[in-house]
Every structure is written in structure tokens, then in C-alpha cells.
Amino acid sequence: MEYREQANDEVTIDLGALFSALLDKIVIIILAGVVVACVTFLGTKLFITPTYDSTTKIYVVSQANSTGNLTYSDVQLGTQLTKDYMEMVKSRTVVESVIAELGLDISYEDMCEKISVANTTDTRIMAITVSDENPKMAQDMANSLRVAVSEQIREVMRVDEVNVVDEANLPDKPARPSAFKNFVIGGVIGVFVAVAVVVLIFVIDDRIKTQEDVEKHLQLSVLGTIPMVEEKGKKKTMKKSTEKKR
């Protein structure tokens, strides 16, 4: 692909020539992708501290009606109230009670950043996940948080029961970062940057290289061409000329 500047200042790019230029630099492009991918992988392993997720699940049982049975409207109401229950997980009363119980040296705001709450659609099951650099601590915080929020829901919302669906698990693998994912992303970024540099150099290169460039840029006809002579050829020519003089 060639960079062309017309008399009317229009710029066109020869896609074929650009593709050829990319093929010429394909080894460098691939090498750039591999290098950046490896650097990203090593950086992830060496400089980023992995964090672990521990999840516990609870099920909130609403109060029954006067007959002692749960109706469909009770179930519907309970599902809608789940959003209220989720808000209580990060309430200051609940979070600070967990901090005090475990003797954590952490602020309320920082603790909230470790907590995430999810609810499966049309259910009253809440999944409480805690992230920490220590897998055992993540498990302890999740369990403590479950107990604290269960008591708060019973007290504030006047529900019958908060049942445990799943105890907090002890994670054996880090949840983040993913070294392989970062490796792939780094490789893609490396290839993209290398391609962008090759394209940029190609586009801004306005040197006249071929007979067609002369006719296109200078609007002149080429009368003849002088072939390039290699350095070795020049030396041989000079040697022959010296011998003839002798």
C-alpha cells in the first residue's frame, strides 16, 4: 500500500502495499505480541497480590399469615423484600459488628469494598461474597457476616427465619487476577501496537521509491534508471580500473 498525495491534497493508501508492508514485518509484530504477553504474565505473577473469594448463601423465610401457611402473595412479597435484605448486608451495624468480632484493623468503607451481594432472579436466596488476600480470613469474614446480617434481618424486618443454604467455603484458588487472561490481553495489545506502528511509519513515509512515485508526485516522465551497485561490486570495479592503469 503506498502513501499517495494528489495535486488536490487528497491522500490515498494502497491497501495492497500496506498489506505487503505488514507481511514484511510479521516476525516483528508476532515477537512484540509475545514479549508484551510474557511481561504481562510475569508482572501479574510477581507484582499483583492474588485475592480469594468466599461465598455463603442464606434463605429468608417471611412471616406466615394467620392460618400458619405461606400464600403466593407472601412469597411474592418476600422476593421483593430481598433487595431490602441485600442492603442490610452492608449496613454499618452489620459490618462494624463483623470488624469487632474478628478484631480486624480495617475501616468500614474498606470492609464494604470487600463485600458483594447477589440475588438470583425470582428467589429469596442471597449470596454473600467476601474477597481477601487470605483465603481463611475471607471464609471467616463471610461466615461472620452471614450471622450478623441474619440477626439484623430478624430484628428489623420481623421475619420468621433466616436459613443457611451454604456455609462459606475455603477457596483454594485465587479469584483474581487471572494470569492467563492477562497473558492473552497483553499479547493482543502487543500485536495491536506493533501493527499500529508499522501502519503509521508506512503512512508518513513519503519518500519517492519507484518510477510510479516520480510520475505521481512530480508529474514527470522517467527517462532512465541507474541500478544500485553493491559495495563489493564497487571494490571489484575499482580494482580492475587500477590494474588497467598499471
Side-chain angles (χ1 to χ4, degrees), residues 17-30:
L18 177 57
F19 183 72
S20 177
L22 290 173
L23 284 180
D24 290 340
K25 303 295 183 181
I26 190 64
V27 175
I28 297 177
I29 293 173
I30 294 175

Side-chain angles (χ1 to χ4, degrees), residues 74-111:
D74 294 331
V75 175
Q76 260 194 330
L77 178 61
T79 302
Q80 294 172 357
L81 288 174
T82 302
K83 293 182 179 180
D84 297 337
Y85 306 148
M86 293 172 67
E87 287 296 320
M88 288 187 181
V89 175
K90 291 188 178 183
S91 64
R92 186 172 290 274
T93 301
V94 172
V95 173
E96 289 184 347
S97 68
V98 172
I99 295 175
E101 179 184 350
L102 298 178
L104 303 176
D105 184 17
I106 188 175
S107 66
Y108 164 76
E109 290 76 13
D110 291 339
M111 182 64 183

Side-chain angles (χ1 to χ4, degrees), residues 75 114 141 144 191 238:
V75 175
K114 294 175 175 287
M141 286 192 291
S144 179
V191 169
M238 293 175 61

